[in-house]
Amino acid sequence: MTKSPFYTAEHEAFRDVVRRFVDKEIAPFASAWDEAGEFPRALYAKAADIGLLGLGFPGEFGGVAADQFMKIVSSQELARAGAGGVSASLMSHSIGAPPIARAARPEVKARVLPEILSGRKISALAITEPSGGSDVANLRTKAVRDGDHYVVSGEKTFITSGMRADYITVAVRTGGPGPAGVSLLLIPGDTPGLTRTKLNKMGWWASDTATLHFDGCRVPVENLIGEEGQGFKLIMHNFNSERMGMAASCTAFARVCLDDAIAYAKERQTFGKPLAQHQVIRHKLVDMAQRVAASQAMLEMLAWRLEQGDNPVAEICMMKNQATQTMAYCASEAVQIFGGAGFMRGVRVERIYREVKVNAIGGGTEEIMKDLASRQMGL
């Protein structure tokens, strides 16, 4: 990767730590875990030991101070394994736990966050519902106050880490229609009335994904995150961070496709010479490199703006689309360059190709990103 002015010696030292972790603990097993449909739970504690899980969380709970560029390093080094399912579930706390750190009651933070950030417990976020997808303002899962508990009924679906999560940050309706009636509740995974159904997917095989069923689940009032009716704002704030993380990962997945395609094209002999010596292949590789470089530059500039206190919502939405489109292009071209070898399971470009669509859908679809960006632009 070309040197960037945004990364300090501290960033690069952390990059080295995460790269060694990925090379030792994830990359050798990525294909087998994909076929198994899961990865060992012990990986969470190993990730916690190098500070990966605590990144950006308060130090008093086991967190590690981190700026936007440290988070980019984390996302992009994990992506080098070409195992999006592992990254998604291993880091599901990065979307499930921030609302807890931001707005939960002090006693809840003190009890829950150290367990999550140490890798002893798994955190998940449950927003999407079967009836509404990303339409957060119109979610239907209800939480009705009954004394010192809320009684929760409804369903959530496509929930990453849904089968194994010990703590689930759940969007519920505590009030009337629209965003003002939405709240967030922290629901323990062993709550009576909670059942889970495993979902089979096109990609992210190693990540457990589930539909959650809440049938009269009684949740203590103190598990309310923030105040009643504040859930929508907390969710929207969380989305910005999630989309930046996805953009960083997708750009890195695209770079993996480029790097692997270059290596294969130099080695593969066709018609008496290396594949890379055919002009059409060289042009493909340059087109891939151009898109990766543009996406990385946009990502880093947005990270810098966030560090300056800016809130470029429209550009973050466009960045998410830019990165997922770059990933889609590079994954497709890499498989094409690999030919039949790219169609075989067990190589990184094949896994990444299967995981293109989940990134274009998750965290807000491409269409929603365009609509949100246009609204932010006053169109």
Side-chain angles (χ1 to χ4, degrees):
M1 183 182 295
T2 303
K3 291 292 184 181
S4 166
F6 297 113
Y7 300 97
T8 66
E10 184 180 2
H11 293 118
E12 296 304 334
F14 184 64
R15 186 191 305 280
D16 289 342
V17 169
V18 181
R19 182 164 294 194
R20 288 196 299 271
F21 170 79
V22 170
D23 287 345
K24 179 183 177 183
E25 303 291 352
I26 299 179
F29 315 106
S31 182
W33 289 346
D34 226 31
E35 298 294 341
E38 63 180 8
F39 60 88
R41 187 163 177 143
L43 189 66
Y44 289 91
K46 292 178 179 179
D49 287 343
I50 65 165
L52 198 55
L53 301 191
L55 212 62
F57 287 90
E60 61 189 295
F61 306 120
V64 180
D67 63 5
Q68 292 292 326
F69 295 99
M70 201 70 84
K71 294 175 183 178
I72 288 175
V73 167
S74 168
S75 296
Q76 298 202 320
E77 288 303 316
L78 281 172
R80 288 182 65 253
V86 176
S87 299
S89 273
L90 182 64
M91 302 301 289
S92 64
H93 76 292
S94 67
I95 56 174
I100 303 171
R102 176 175 292 272
R105 286 162 172 73
E107 60 273 18
V108 173
K109 294 181 186 181
R111 172 168 49 86
V112 170
L113 288 175
E115 292 190 312
I116 295 171
L117 302 184
S118 65
R120 297 194 300 271
K121 301 290 186 181
I122 298 172
S123 166
L125 178 69
I127 305 292
T128 302
E129 298 185 348
S131 61
S134 298
D135 190 3
V136 179
N138 292 305
L139 61 84
R140 298 180 181 180
T141 298
K142 290 185 178 180
V144 179
R145 182 75 180 260
D146 181 25
D148 58 356
H149 285 77
Y150 286 99
V151 180
V152 180
S153 298
E155 279 190 327
K156 300 292 180 179
T157 195
F158 311 139
I159 307 307
T160 300
S161 291
M163 294 302 295
R164 298 202 289 193
D166 302 290
Y167 294 113
I168 309 168
T169 300
V170 185
V172 295
R173 185 162 300 285
T174 53
V182 176
S183 301
L184 282 178
L185 272 180
L186 181 64
I187 301 183
D190 59 359
T191 300
L194 168 62
T195 55
R196 321 182 196 208
T197 302
K198 183 178 179 179
L199 300 175
N200 295 319
K201 312 173 295 298
M202 178 191 297
W204 278 10
W205 294 351
S207 170
D208 79 75
T209 308
T211 294
L212 308 180
H213 312 267
F214 301 96
D215 185 10
C217 296
R218 296 183 65 83
V219 182
V221 168
E222 58 263 27
N223 282 25
L224 181 68
I225 299 174
E227 302 300 325
E228 280 197 10
Q230 289 188 354
F232 189 82
K233 290 182 180 179
L234 288 167
I235 293 165
M236 292 303 107
H237 186 277
N238 212 40
F239 270 143
N240 273 350
S241 177
E242 179 182 4
R243 288 163 186 161
M244 283 294 289
M246 292 182 73
S249 294
C250 289
T251 302
F253 284 129
R255 187 181 297 278
V256 168
C257 290
L258 171 61
D259 291 345
D260 285 4
I262 289 173
Y264 186 81
K266 288 180 176 179
E267 175 186 307
R268 172 71 165 161
Q269 295 282 327
T270 61
F271 302 101
K273 59 183 178 180
L275 194 59
Q277 289 186 17
H278 295 279
Q279 185 184 59
V280 66
I281 299 300
R282 294 200 303 274
H283 287 189
K284 283 180 181 290
L285 294 170
V286 170
D287 284 342
M288 293 165 71
Q290 175 183 315
R291 286 165 169 79
V292 171
S295 297
Q296 187 71 22
M298 185 177 180
L299 175 70
E300 291 176 353
M301 183 53 67
L302 279 177
W304 180 83
R305 289 178 62 184
L306 286 167
E307 286 296 311
Q308 307 313 304
D310 198 359
N311 186 33
V313 175
E315 289 87 347
I316 289 173
C317 292
M318 289 186 279
M319 176 73 253
K320 199 250 182 184
N321 281 357
Q322 169 72 19
T324 56
Q325 289 166 11
T326 297
M327 177 184 177
Y329 180 86
C330 291
S332 178
E333 291 295 78
V335 170
Q336 190 72 18
I337 290 169
F338 268 68
F343 193 64
M344 299 296 105
R345 298 216 309 239
V347 296
R348 291 196 298 185
V349 298
E350 181 270 336
R351 282 201 303 274
I352 293 171
Y353 186 80
R354 280 193 276 109
E355 296 173 354
V356 163
K357 275 300 175 186
V358 68
N359 289 284
I361 293 169
T365 66
E366 185 172 306
E367 295 77 13
I368 289 173
M369 293 300 93
K370 290 179 180 178
D371 192 56
L372 182 54
S374 69
R375 290 168 187 259
Q376 292 289 318
M377 294 165 64
L379 301 178

